[in-house]
Amino acid sequence: MKPQVTDSKTNIAGSSVIPLTTVSNEANECLFEYLHAEIMNYVVGKNSNDSNLKEGEENLSELEWMGFGVGYRIIERLTREWVRFKDELDMIKFICTDYWSSLYQKQIDNLKTNHHGTYVLQDNEFRLLKHLANNTSNNKQYLRECPRLISFTCGLLRGSLANLGISSIVKAEITLIPTCKFHVEVQRV
Amino acid sequence: MSSRTGARLDTKKINSELFTLTYGALVAQLLKDYENVEDVNKQLERMGYNMGVRLIEDFLARTGSGRCYDFRDTAEKIQAGFKLFLGITPTITNWSATGDEFSLCFESNPLTEFVELPDTCLNLKYCNVLTGVLRGACEMVQMEIACWFVQDQLKNDNVTELRVKFIKRLEDAIPAGED
């Protein structure tokens, strides 16, 4: 069986049809994005009647919690054959490079730290935001909706760090879409 | 950083694991939110529908495939869709005599990779999102289908079997005021 669905009869223009084998990675990517969108809509819709919320606020803690669970599990599989990390900074570097690129197809663009447990991870084109705006226009149009799109990832980060032995608080900051800064504050006991 | 291990992470594999685990988190959340397992099945189907409505555009754009000539053609394209999006090739079997029903058999299913069903969830259709995806996608190409699971590996069947039935062709809706 040929893994191609080239349809010669209707494809009159002769446009190039990409063989399925080469695009399946990218395909998997959009599957996650659509699933994420559904989960987001579900959580937002379910909690929209919450009377404890002020105008314009949303309860996204469930979204964050789901991310936490996924992060907690996936880091085990990612680091299974990895050499033991030297220290905290080493783990954060791993998060910025291999971890981020295997989940979001690119590395973190900028890492800052005060060497006292605060890290700022900046992604200049965050995958879940990049279809909302490009760098030329409309950078602020959907700013209000952005927290929905990043809560899951905040949880993902927190969960992964938790399973590496770092308990933390992860917040995100967006001023211009699609740039996103994740603030990781390590909780010392 | 390159000195640590020779092998880089397998991006493709991780990406599909991210999907699998995220889906698992969703099912777990739904089971917590709804008392009735039937409601969970319904909710999964509805979410799948919404995904299918959007996925069909990706499918058509990536494959460049045109209209289906008959339902057998549709079956092959659905199969190709599974290959494209989930990297699996289900087998097409059990055609009904009239040619309006077939089964897709999955030997492995990435959605259920890390899953075991507890006894309390025997009525849960864990992969019900797939039925919704197929229904939504087909509706966008003017086809109404019905779709359900007849066998499920999570319930100790040998294969997972998804039955697909053609219901009717949807006519293009004419906008109000135009003939």
Side-chain angles (χ1 to χ4, degrees):
Chain A
M1 198 174 310
K2 296 261 160 56
Q4 250 172 317
V5 272
T6 317
D7 192 342
S8 54
K9 281 165 237 163
T10 49
N11 209 2
I12 315 157
S15 60
S16 60
V17 175
I18 319 155
L20 293 173
T21 41
T22 61
V23 290
S24 58
N25 189 21
E26 206 186 319
N28 239 319
E29 204 181 313
C30 78
L31 210 56
F32 169 73
E33 277 167 32
Y34 292 158
L35 180 68
H36 177 268
E38 283 310 307
I39 295 177
M40 185 183 84
N41 280 336
Y42 168 71
V43 170
V44 170
K46 190 179 67 162
N47 294 332
S48 60
N49 302 326
D50 195 333
S51 53
N52 296 327
L53 296 177
K54 293 194 209 92
E55 179 71 30
E57 274 184 4
E58 284 173 327
N59 180 2
L60 299 169
S61 57
E62 273 167 13
L63 210 51
E64 208 262 2
W65 178 243
M66 279 192 245
F68 182 90
V70 174
Y72 200 90
R73 291 179 174 89
I74 210 160
I75 193 79
E76 279 184 5
R77 305 192 55 82
L78 280 171
T79 54
R80 200 174 34 181
E81 282 156 28
W82 218 255
V83 178
R84 180 175 277 275
F85 295 107
K86 281 202 299 283
D87 51 23
E88 195 177 281
L89 186 63
D90 204 21
M91 291 178 197
I92 299 282
K93 278 187 189 160
F94 169 76
I95 296 281
C96 292
T97 52
D98 296 270
Y99 176 86
W100 210 256
S101 54
S102 54
L103 296 182
Y104 292 128
Q105 276 72 44
K106 70 186 283 294
Q107 298 194 351
I108 287 285
D109 294 297
N110 191 329
L111 169 66
K112 284 185 192 141
T113 174
N114 65 356
H115 295 287
H116 287 95
T118 303
Y119 301 88
V120 180
L121 286 64
Q122 179 173 335
D123 189 338
N124 292 333
E125 200 183 38
F126 182 49
R127 175 172 140 191
L128 296 173
L129 298 175
K130 73 176 178 194
H131 299 304
L132 282 188
N134 54 29
N135 287 322
T136 53
S137 66
N138 289 338
N139 296 79
K140 293 191 165 170
Q141 191 179 358
Y142 298 110
L143 211 51
R144 214 164 58 89
E145 283 80 7
C146 280
R148 301 175 184 180
L149 283 157
I150 46 179
S151 296
F152 183 86
T153 304
C154 288
L156 202 69
L157 264 177
R158 197 166 66 85
S160 297
L161 289 171
N163 206 354
L164 290 173
I166 303 178
S167 87
S168 60
I169 296 176
V170 179
K171 295 177 191 158
E173 176 194 340
I174 303 171
T175 40
L176 280 181
I177 306 169
T179 300
C180 184
K181 283 184 193 169
F182 295 94
H183 294 255
V184 178
E185 285 169 40
V186 178
Q187 305 289 292
R188 311 267 182 223
V189 225
Chain B
M1 296 227 57
S2 53
S3 61
R4 71 170 6 160
T5 50
R8 303 289 289 180
L9 298 170
D10 184 349
T11 317
K12 197 167 158 183
K13 192 151 175 291
I14 295 304
N15 223 321
S16 97
E17 287 179 0
L18 178 65
F19 177 70
T20 307
L21 290 171
T22 307
Y23 183 68
L26 169 67
V27 178
Q29 181 67 40
L30 290 175
L31 282 169
K32 214 158 66 179
D33 289 349
Y34 293 98
E35 279 171 24
N36 190 342
V37 174
E38 276 309 313
D39 290 339
V40 176
N41 293 338
K42 253 184 239 162
Q43 184 68 39
L44 286 173
E45 207 269 351
R46 194 171 334 154
M47 288 176 161
Y49 175 84
N50 293 337
M51 288 170 73
V53 164
R54 302 172 75 185
L55 271 175
I56 184 73
E57 299 208 12
D58 276 275
F59 177 78
L60 295 176
R62 281 167 213 267
T63 60
S65 64
R67 281 192 177 278
C68 297
Y69 305 110
D70 54 22
F71 205 45
R72 283 180 192 270
D73 196 13
T74 310
E76 275 164 31
K77 282 181 178 154
I78 289 175
Q79 187 187 39
F82 275 103
K83 172 84 182 133
L84 176 64
F85 291 111
L86 285 174
I88 46 172
T89 311
T91 41
I92 304 171
T93 53
N94 296 340
W95 277 99
S96 66
T98 45
D100 64 346
E101 248 184 89
F102 64 91
S103 289
L104 290 164
C105 285
F106 303 82
E107 297 204 342
S108 68
N109 180 352
L111 276 181
T112 60
E113 205 180 339
F114 312 113
V115 181
E116 268 178 49
L117 284 189
D119 293 340
T120 49
C121 295
L122 284 178
N123 292 324
L124 176 70
K125 292 170 187 147
Y126 187 86
C127 300
N128 219 25
V129 75
L130 295 180
T131 61
V133 168
L134 290 189
R135 186 169 70 88
C138 286
E139 194 174 308
M140 288 297 114
V141 289
Q142 277 98 31
M143 232 188 305
E144 188 179 329
I145 59 156
C147 188
W148 64 95
F149 283 100
V150 282
Q151 291 192 77
D152 190 342
Q153 277 166 324
L154 290 176
K155 291 162 191 164
N156 293 326
D157 292 318
N158 282 330
V159 288
T160 298
E161 182 180 351
L162 185 60
R163 194 89 183 135
V164 185
K165 180 181 169 61
F166 176 79
I167 301 200
K168 67 169 189 232
R169 265 206 105 72
L170 299 166
E171 300 299 326
D172 279 328
I174 301 163
E178 282 177 46
D179 291 298

